[in-house]
Amino acid sequence: MQLAQSGGGSVESGGSLRLSCKASGTTGSPFCVGYFRQVQGRERERVASIDGDGRVDYAYFVKGRFTISQDTPDNTYLQMNSLRPGDTATYYCGTVYGGGWCRESPWYEYVFWGQGTQVTVSS
C-alpha cells in the first residue's frame, strides 16, 4: 500500500486546515487509517483514527476540534478546526490492515506511512 498526503500549511490560531490521505495498492481487506503528528525530539502521537467499519477514535487533545472522515475506504480526511499553536507539527497518515483493534493502536503498530505534511499554527 502507498499513501499520498496533501493539505497542511500555515494558519493563525483559531483557523482551520484540511488534510487528505489517499491510499493506493490496497488489497481489499479492511484497514485502519490513522493521523499522527510529530514534533522534533518527541514521540509520534496518534491524533485520530478510523477503522474499516467507519468507527473513529480521537486523542483527548483534539476532541471537538478535529474530525476524521472518509468518502471511500481509500480516501481519508482530517478536518482541523480551532487550531492552536500547540497543534504545530508534522502530520502523517498511517495504515495497518486489521479490524477495529487498530483504531486505538499507537504509531508503532501502523505499517504504511505517508510522506508527512507540515502544519504550522501561529499565535
Side-chain angles (χ1 to χ4, degrees):
M1 187 186 309
Q2 297 80 44
L3 304 177
Q5 293 184 235
S6 59
S10 298
V11 294
E12 293 185 347
S13 183
S16 298
L17 286 172
R18 189 190 196 209
L19 307 183
S20 298
C21 178
K22 181 175 180 61
S24 60
T26 58
T27 65
S29 297
F31 58 92
C32 286
V33 181
Y35 269 99
F36 300 78
R37 68 187 188 187
Q38 189 168 22
V39 175
Q40 190 171 7
R42 296 179 60 180
E43 186 173 2
R44 190 170 297 189
E45 59 184 2
R46 189 175 57 85
V47 173
S49 51
I50 185 168
D51 67 18
D53 292 324
R55 292 172 295 190
V56 301
D57 192 75
Y58 296 96
Y60 71 92
F61 48 82
V62 302
K63 277 185 178 179
R65 301 189 297 125
F66 291 13
T67 303
I68 190 169
S69 64
Q70 295 178 324
D71 55 12
T72 72
D74 290 348
N75 293 323
T76 305
Y77 307 96
L78 184 68
Q79 178 66 42
M80 305 185 293
N81 298 328
S82 302
L83 283 162
R84 306 165 179 167
D87 294 319
T88 296
T90 301
Y91 283 71
Y92 298 89
C93 66
T95 60
V96 59
Y97 284 107
W101 61 266
C102 53
R103 194 171 69 250
E104 299 180 16
S105 296
W107 68 267
Y108 48 82
E109 294 188 6
Y110 279 68
V111 176
F112 306 98
W113 292 96
Q115 77 275 23
T117 187
Q118 180 66 33
V119 170
T120 302
V121 185
S122 59
S123 58

